[in-house]
């Protein structure tokens, strides 16, 4: 595997992992999967 191809694979892998983490963090921030979702109802708006 050439150095250029390895770099493309690494960037693609890091980008996809970052996208998953950002999507998961957004999902938790909205409260869809958060264990503290009931706490969000008690917080002042």
């Amino acid at each position: 595997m050439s150095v250029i191809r390895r770099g493309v694979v690494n960037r693609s892998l890091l980008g996809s992992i970052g996208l998953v983490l950002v999507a998961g963090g957004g999902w938790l921030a909205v409260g869809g999967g958060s264990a503290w979702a009931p706490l969000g109802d008690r917080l002042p708006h």
Side-chain angles (χ1 to χ4, degrees):
M1 188 181 268
S2 70
V3 175
I4 294 173
R5 187 173 178 112
R6 196 175 309 153
V8 171
V9 171
N10 286 341
R11 275 183 272 152
S12 301
L13 187 62
L14 283 174
S16 61
I17 290 172
L19 207 62
V20 167
L21 289 175
V22 166
W27 182 59
L28 287 174
V30 171
S34 177
W36 298 282
L39 181 65
D41 296 334
R42 294 183 290 191
L43 294 175
H45 293 285

